[in-house]
Amino acid sequence: MRINTLNRRKFNCLAFGLLCSLPFTHAAETETFEADVIVIGSGAAGLAAALTAADFGKSVIILEKMPVIGGNSLLSTGLINAPDPERQKLVGIEDSKELFFKQTYDAGHRSGNQELIKVMVENALPTVQWLEKYGIHFKEEVIQIYGGLWPRGHNPKVSHGRGYINFLSKACKERGIPIKTNTQATTFLRGSGEGKNRITGVQARVNNVPVEFKANCGVIIATGGFTANQKLCAQLDPRLQGMNYTGSPSATGDIFPAVKEIGGQLKDLKEIQCNLGPVGHFNHRSGYHTDVKRHILVNKNGQRFVAEDGLRDKLRDAVLSQPDGDVFIIVDSDGFQDLSSKFQQSGATSEVLGYGWKADSIKELAQKMKMSPENLEKTVEEYNQAVANKKDPFGREPWMLVKTINHPPFYASKARMAIHYTMGGIVIDTQARVLDRKNVPIEGLYAAGEATTGIHGTNRVGGKGILDAFVFGRIAGQSVANQK
């Protein structure tokens, strides 16, 4: 079923799907495969794009450079923001698209593309419903994720991004959409004659062998950001020098030079977001998430220093201003049970390594942490009083002052910032078309997800990364299918 450059014919994607587990072998000539749509990347954006294009009757091949699929989406917290009257009324929360838009735009310091934000907001709840049609179920109670600004986070019952990737990749398999792993796109193919500026496919390397993937309708970039490119991140923001990252090692931004080579526009690469996580588990490549109303952050002196429900860039700057960038997450037994498994692993079992503690009193907890018991006891007492008064000296919002820290045992975990998300990348329009340096769409080229820029401005709200990927992945799939 291999097609060389001397004898090309349209490749049947279903047949390719039957062969996708077979390794490519060396050949004398560059092998060529053909489909209507080529998707680069198998995370949330890529899978959504592929399934949507298939809904419009297009044949699709997905390319994934890693040996496993999913990218950063697989390791994400999985929380997805959307105004949802039915779920939010269960927790007494009112919401609206207007508020969702305003918080997104304001959180990005009013530097995001308003038209892109509107598209994401309008498609938020329909995207949750689209996921539910694929068998992805969410918990009934929405929460406010760390950096989320409002209780509208839909929490998948299969934790983190595993459920998304499992269900959607299964749907791809059922639809005959192959996902070719160990296949790294390197350059874009262009047409000839009058169509010389049109993208017609990609050159890739499969086990270090060059292979061409021809696209009759177009190519969709869904490769993620560059959080794992620590050298580039540190060059763009020196404070990130030596800082670990929370996601997949696949997020290196290596498609960007190819985009730049064909005249694609890159923007705002210096806008890099950090996330807080337990020190002992940053090598697990996944940050932590928590319902903000259940924890406080303290410094080495046992004192609070920031409103825990604030903007992520404000939290980043506050944490990095602490000695050595070390802070501590404090919860009681109720809060501990509600936190992510990664926090539980760090906070419950890591005392011997010096970054997690458990005690039956706040005084004992502070003693184990070699922290001032008087300071930590006073901090917790003042926080509990703020909950009672619904007024916090650090500016925490009243609806995030609902859970005291009172029920033993108490837990603490040392935490630091890590590189988490890159807001900069490929410039797109509302149809997910890649724009050139004159803001003109590059024919046949689309992009979605963290590889793009414009939606989040200079700061992303927690719970919107995976939403962005799904919304614009679906839009890219529809756009490429509808192009003339």
Side-chain angles (χ1 to χ4, degrees):
M1 298 297 290
R2 295 184 178 86
I3 308 168
N4 61 43
T5 54
L6 300 178
N7 183 24
R8 294 181 180 175
R9 60 186 176 83
K10 184 172 182 179
F11 186 75
N12 183 286
C13 274
L14 181 58
F16 184 77
L18 297 175
L19 296 174
C20 66
S21 62
L22 299 178
F24 282 81
T25 57
H26 289 276
E29 293 143 342
T30 302
E31 296 172 306
T32 303
F33 298 90
E34 187 173 340
D36 293 327
V37 180
I38 302 298
V39 177
I40 311 172
S42 64
L47 295 177
L51 288 168
T52 303
D55 284 342
F56 285 84
K58 303 301 179 181
S59 58
V60 185
I61 298 174
I62 301 174
L63 311 183
E64 171 56 58
K65 72 176 184 179
M66 301 297 285
V68 296
I69 67 171
N72 266 0
S73 300
L74 184 66
L75 301 177
S76 74
T77 62
L79 270 289
I80 182 169
N81 282 350
D84 187 337
E86 290 189 12
R87 285 187 172 92
Q88 287 175 307
K89 72 181 180 183
L90 296 176
V91 289
I93 295 294
E94 292 186 4
D95 202 358
S96 68
K97 293 178 182 178
E98 291 75 21
L99 179 61
F100 193 25
F101 172 87
K102 184 180 186 304
Q103 289 181 326
T104 303
Y105 187 52
D106 289 348
H109 304 290
R110 305 181 72 82
S111 61
N113 182 313
Q114 295 186 59
E115 294 306 312
L116 293 178
I117 297 171
K118 288 176 184 176
V119 169
M120 183 184 71
V121 168
E122 287 294 330
N123 286 277
L125 185 56
T127 295
V128 170
Q129 295 165 343
W130 179 80
L131 290 166
E132 289 174 325
K133 290 179 181 178
Y134 280 98
I136 297 163
H137 299 291
F138 297 91
K139 297 178 181 178
E140 287 301 313
E141 183 176 338
V142 294
I143 69 170
Q144 179 172 322
I145 188 177
Y146 159 77
L149 305 184
W150 200 261
R152 59 170 71 94
H154 293 66
N155 200 355
K157 290 185 177 180
V158 178
S159 68
H160 294 74
R162 296 194 306 272
Y164 297 136
I165 302 305
N166 288 344
F167 281 98
L168 297 182
S169 63
K170 180 182 177 182
C172 284
K173 185 176 181 181
E174 292 171 349
R175 303 281 291 276
I177 301 172
I179 304 176
K180 186 70 183 96
T181 56
N182 294 308
T183 303
Q184 182 165 5
T186 55
T187 55
F188 294 100
L189 304 177
R190 308 193 82 155
S192 58
E194 292 184 1
K196 65 180 180 180
N197 292 325
R198 178 182 176 82
I199 300 304
T200 59
V202 294
Q203 176 100 21
R205 298 195 70 83
V206 183
N207 296 326
N208 213 31
V209 177
V211 178
E212 285 186 359
F213 291 87
K214 300 288 287 182
N216 297 320
C217 296
V219 174
I220 299 173
I221 302 169
T223 52
F226 56 94
T227 52
N229 192 331
Q230 293 161 293
K231 181 178 180 181
L232 176 59
C233 289
Q235 288 173 349
L236 294 165
D237 185 345
R239 295 178 302 171
L240 309 183
Q241 182 69 46
M243 188 177 286
N244 212 330
Y245 58 94
T246 63
S248 167
S250 65
T252 56
D254 46 35
I255 200 67
F256 289 172
V259 172
K260 195 172 182 180
E261 183 181 356
I262 60 169
Q265 185 181 167
L266 302 176
K267 188 178 178 182
D268 294 334
L269 298 184
K270 65 178 175 50
E271 304 299 344
I272 300 169
Q273 186 172 80
C274 296
N275 200 357
L276 191 65
V279 169
H281 278 273
F282 265 140
N283 61 347
H284 60 52
R285 305 300 184 205
S286 178
Y288 95 109
H289 81 277
T290 171
D291 185 341
V292 178
K293 64 179 176 284
R294 296 184 180 274
H295 80 278
I296 59 172
L297 297 175
V298 302
N299 58 22
K300 289 182 176 180
N301 295 322
Q303 299 168 320
R304 287 178 68 209
F305 57 92
V306 70
E308 294 84 357
D309 63 342
L311 298 174
R312 282 185 173 178
D313 58 346
K314 301 293 186 184
L315 289 161
R316 174 200 63 200
D317 295 344
V319 169
L320 293 181
S321 71
Q322 301 303 311
D324 300 320
D326 287 340
V327 298
F328 303 87
I329 305 165
I330 308 291
V331 297
D332 65 4
S333 61
D334 292 343
F336 178 78
Q337 295 303 321
D338 189 62
L339 297 181
S340 73
S341 61
K342 294 301 181 184
F343 181 94
Q344 292 183 11
Q345 291 171 26
S346 183
T349 66
S350 303
E351 186 168 357
V352 68
L353 299 177
Y355 50 73
W357 303 269
K358 174 183 177 183
D360 290 326
S361 69
I362 294 296
K363 179 178 180 179
E364 181 188 0
L365 188 69
Q367 290 171 335
K368 287 187 173 184
M369 299 167 69
K370 295 182 171 53
M371 180 182 290
S372 167
E374 294 79 9
N375 284 354
L376 188 58
E377 285 181 315
K378 182 180 179 181
T379 293
V380 172
E381 181 181 347
E382 289 176 347
Y383 171 75
N384 288 340
Q385 190 61 47
V387 172
N389 296 334
K390 291 292 186 288
K391 187 175 181 179
D392 179 38
F394 289 93
R396 192 156 156 163
E397 297 289 356
W399 56 85
M400 287 294 107
L401 292 167
V402 294
K403 297 290 182 180
T404 58
I405 298 176
N406 264 330
H407 302 103
F410 302 96
Y411 299 86
S413 178
K414 182 186 288 188
R416 289 178 184 154
M417 283 291 169
I419 301 166
H420 181 62
Y421 192 92
T422 49
M423 277 77 71
I426 302 166
V427 178
I428 60 171
D429 65 9
T430 56
Q431 298 177 57
R433 298 178 297 184
V434 174
L435 303 182
D436 67 14
R437 297 180 187 96
K438 295 181 179 179
N439 290 322
V440 176
I442 297 175
E443 192 175 0
L445 189 61
Y446 306 81
E450 195 177 348
T452 69
T453 190
I455 295 170
H456 310 292
T458 58
N459 178 68
R460 180 177 70 83
V461 173
K464 287 194 176 77
I466 201 84
L467 172 64
D468 169 12
F470 281 130
V471 167
F472 282 92
R474 294 177 67 203
I475 290 172
Q478 181 172 350
S479 293
V480 71
N482 289 339
Q483 65 82 43
K484 296 181 181 178

